[in-house]
């Protein structure tokens, strides 16, 4: 077991052989489903904390914390997409993915959020706005523009992300007037 300290908590990492053994034991005992649910709920709470713009927009440690947590967020988000009836928990995990534009995983995260909006097309403008940002960061211009236009149909932070994405794309394309 390897301890990985985080800002206000610690995460523990297991070797894959140990993790596989534990998963088998949990499955055999009938506790695997309940354990996965607790894991997803814990990641949703972590994402709620990382989503507070007042705290994190000016915190230089936030992108690194999201990068360190990305594999857990992706695993929990995948579980939600494959098993939840509604997008409620999955959409709670989206806001921190905004930070991936600076720390990697953009293409992988874009694929994951694409799966979310394919499963729940009405997941909300935040889902589409985050997807537009991830696609832009992954240099998928057409997909970024398309997701941004879809986000504009909603309200809140997703709309702001969509406008940001469209502005950056216009600026990169040499259209500063449209960018503004």
């Amino acid at each position: 077991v390897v301890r990985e300290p985080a800002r206000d908590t610690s995460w523990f990492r297991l070797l894959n052989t140990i993790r596989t053994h534990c998963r088998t034991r949990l499955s055999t005992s009938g506790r695997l489903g309940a354990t996965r649910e607790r894991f997803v709920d814990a990641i949703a709470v972590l994402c709620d904390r990382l989503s507070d713009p007042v705290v994190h927009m000016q915190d230089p440690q936030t992108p690194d914390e999201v990068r360190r947590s990305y594999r857990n967020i992706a695993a929990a988000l995948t579980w939600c997409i494959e098993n939840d009836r509604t997008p409620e928990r999955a959409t709670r995990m989206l806001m921190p993915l905004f930070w991936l534009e600076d720390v990697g995983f953009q293409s992988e995260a874009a694929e994951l959020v694409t799966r979310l909006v394919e499963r729940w097309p009405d997941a909300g403008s935040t889902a589409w706005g985050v997807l537009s940002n991830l696609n832009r960061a992954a240099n998928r211009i057409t997909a970024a523009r398309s997701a941004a236009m879809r986000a504009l149909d909603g309200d809140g932070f997703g709309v702001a992300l969509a406008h940001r994405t469209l502005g950056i794309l216009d600026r990169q394309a040499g259209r500063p007037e449209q960018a503004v």
Side-chain angles (χ1 to χ4, degrees):
V1 177
V2 177
R3 179 179 173 266
E4 294 182 347
R7 185 180 319 191
D8 56 354
T9 189
S10 291
W11 288 91
F12 296 91
R13 187 169 39 91
L14 299 173
L15 294 173
N16 193 43
T17 53
I18 307 271
R19 189 179 317 111
T20 301
H21 173 74
C22 292
R23 187 178 296 119
T24 301
R25 296 276 314 256
L26 284 168
S27 182
T28 302
S29 71
R31 297 183 307 210
L32 182 60
T35 302
R36 279 193 174 135
E37 287 297 319
R38 284 194 311 275
F39 167 73
V40 170
D41 288 340
I43 296 301
V45 169
L46 168 70
C47 289
D48 289 342
R49 184 178 59 77
L50 290 171
S51 296
D52 184 343
V54 173
V55 173
H56 294 286
M57 290 308 280
Q58 302 301 320
D59 188 343
Q61 293 180 12
T62 297
D64 192 51
E65 186 170 358
V66 172
R67 182 193 52 76
R68 280 193 319 271
S69 302
Y70 174 70
R71 291 286 175 217
N72 286 326
I73 295 169
L77 190 50
T78 298
W79 176 259
C80 290
I81 293 167
E82 293 173 355
N83 295 284
D84 285 1
R85 294 183 196 273
T86 68
E88 181 184 352
R89 284 195 304 181
T91 56
R92 289 172 60 194
M93 297 177 209
L94 293 176
M95 288 296 294
L97 299 181
F98 164 79
W99 296 104
L100 296 178
E101 74 175 1
D102 295 326
V103 296
F105 304 110
Q106 300 94 344
S107 294
E108 182 181 326
E111 292 299 323
L112 193 54
V113 179
T114 297
R115 287 182 57 208
L116 183 145
V117 297
E118 286 172 351
R119 170 91 194 274
W120 297 295
D122 296 326
S125 65
T126 298
W128 291 101
V130 168
L131 181 57
S132 74
N133 189 62
L134 290 170
N135 278 323
R136 181 201 50 78
N139 206 30
R140 298 174 179 172
I141 306 308
T142 302
R145 194 171 293 282
S146 176
M149 297 308 288
R150 182 73 186 259
L152 293 176
D153 292 337
D155 57 14
F157 191 70
V159 175
L161 278 179
H163 283 292
R164 179 180 183 269
T165 296
L166 293 170
I168 291 170
L169 291 175
D170 284 336
R171 188 182 67 216
Q172 289 173 340
R175 297 186 299 262
E177 295 82 20
Q178 283 183 286
V180 173

